Amino acid sequence: GAVVSQHPSRVICKSGTSVKIECRSLDFQATTMFWYRQFPKQSLMLMATSNEGSKATYEQGVEKDKFLINHASLTLSTLTVTSAHPEDSSFYICSAVGPGQGTGGYTFGSGTRLTVV
Amino acid sequence: KNQVEQSPQSLIILEGKNCTLQCNYTVSPFSNLRWYKQDTGRGPVSLTIMTFSENTKSNGRYTATLDADTKQSSLHITASQLSDSASYICVVTRNNAGNMLTFGGGTRLMVKP
């Protein structure tokens, strides 16, 4: 089945630094990738949608200059949290959709736990 | 407004027992409904996906039902196991909306020995 690999699984960084999270589709071409944020005991909140080769579309209230998304290839999208602050600590999850993925689509990565200290 | 409501918010059952989780939605136009299992600290994993014409779909001990007329779905777990402890998320896809997903708040299930 379709597999989406997300790295790192957890990261701790100092306040003010930047962190990059990678999301890779391993056995299909991800024409669209989604980035979500999830706070404890809450459901996933869509942050942005990215199509390969295009600028990402951000949801209302999500700062595009803080959460930089790059989807330069059909198998890789990255989310960079710039100048991270403790309030950015959260669980970040990507999902991908693309041809050859099989029925259903929307395969999720395993998530990244970001802790900003 | 396009919404997905799940109940209960949390549930505790004994190992071996059955349980049913509910999902009501107002998302329109409807494309499909998915149930995901999310273990703590992990990404969601798909259990079932149903389109408008499908009433029931099974995946092992998981059986999902869909009533598109009343806009209700349920996920039935049979003979629960400790490993079933997780959050179960109902997700509805809107048609003609760029495949936009609307997430329910999830049901946190704990199976105790």
Side-chain angles (χ1 to χ4, degrees):
Chain A
V3 177
V4 172
S5 175
Q6 186 173 341
H7 292 281
S9 58
R10 57 179 64 226
V11 57
I12 300 173
C13 70
K14 291 184 177 180
S15 185
T17 62
S18 295
V19 174
K20 180 183 285 188
I21 302 170
E22 290 189 351
C23 182
R24 293 179 184 273
S25 59
L26 299 186
D27 49 3
F28 68 98
Q29 293 182 328
T31 49
T32 305
M33 284 191 174
F34 305 86
W35 287 95
Y36 300 87
R37 186 172 180 175
Q38 186 176 33
F39 291 106
K41 297 185 178 181
Q42 293 187 23
S43 194
L44 284 71
M45 291 171 25
L46 180 65
M47 299 175 64
T49 302
S50 73
N51 294 300
E52 185 266 338
S54 303
K55 288 185 178 180
T57 302
Y58 290 81
E59 294 300 299
Q60 190 173 11
V62 178
E63 300 176 57
K64 62 180 181 180
D65 294 330
K66 181 168 186 61
F67 299 99
L68 301 179
I69 291 173
N70 184 284
H71 191 170
S73 79
L74 283 171
T75 59
L76 174 65
S77 177
T78 60
L79 167 67
T80 301
V81 183
T82 63
S83 187
H85 291 285
E87 57 265 31
D88 298 324
S89 299
S90 188
F91 192 57
Y92 293 86
I93 307 173
C94 68
S95 74
V97 179
Q101 190 179 12
T103 58
Y106 292 105
T107 305
F108 286 86
S110 54
T112 297
R113 171 72 60 194
L114 171 63
T115 303
V116 184
V117 298
Chain B
K1 187 176 181 181
N2 294 295
Q3 289 184 315
V4 178
E5 301 287 341
Q6 289 187 245
S7 63
Q9 283 191 324
S10 60
L11 180 64
I12 301 175
I13 63 173
L14 293 176
E15 184 179 13
K17 298 296 185 182
N18 304 333
C19 67
T20 300
L21 314 180
Q22 300 291 341
C23 174
N24 297 336
Y25 62 92
T26 58
V27 175
S28 181
F30 175 87
S31 177
N32 57 64
L33 184 145
R34 309 156 188 263
W35 282 95
Y36 285 90
K37 178 187 178 186
Q38 185 179 22
D39 292 311
T40 301
R42 305 290 294 175
V45 175
S46 179
L47 295 176
T48 63
I49 176 171
M50 289 181 291
T51 58
F52 185 88
S53 59
E54 295 175 295
N55 300 120
T56 184
K57 184 164 283 188
S58 292
N59 178 359
R61 294 180 295 103
Y62 301 102
T63 299
T65 66
L66 173 65
D67 185 334
D69 292 330
T70 61
K71 298 187 177 181
Q72 296 179 326
S73 176
S74 66
L75 180 69
H76 186 74
I77 304 175
T78 304
S80 61
Q81 300 176 358
L82 298 179
S83 58
D84 292 332
S85 296
S87 286
Y88 291 84
I89 306 172
C90 175
V91 184
V92 180
T93 306
R94 288 174 61 196
N95 210 355
N96 300 326
N99 289 324
M100 181 64 68
L101 303 183
T102 303
F103 288 80
T107 293
R108 291 188 302 281
L109 173 66
M110 180 178 293
V111 180
K112 289 191 169 182

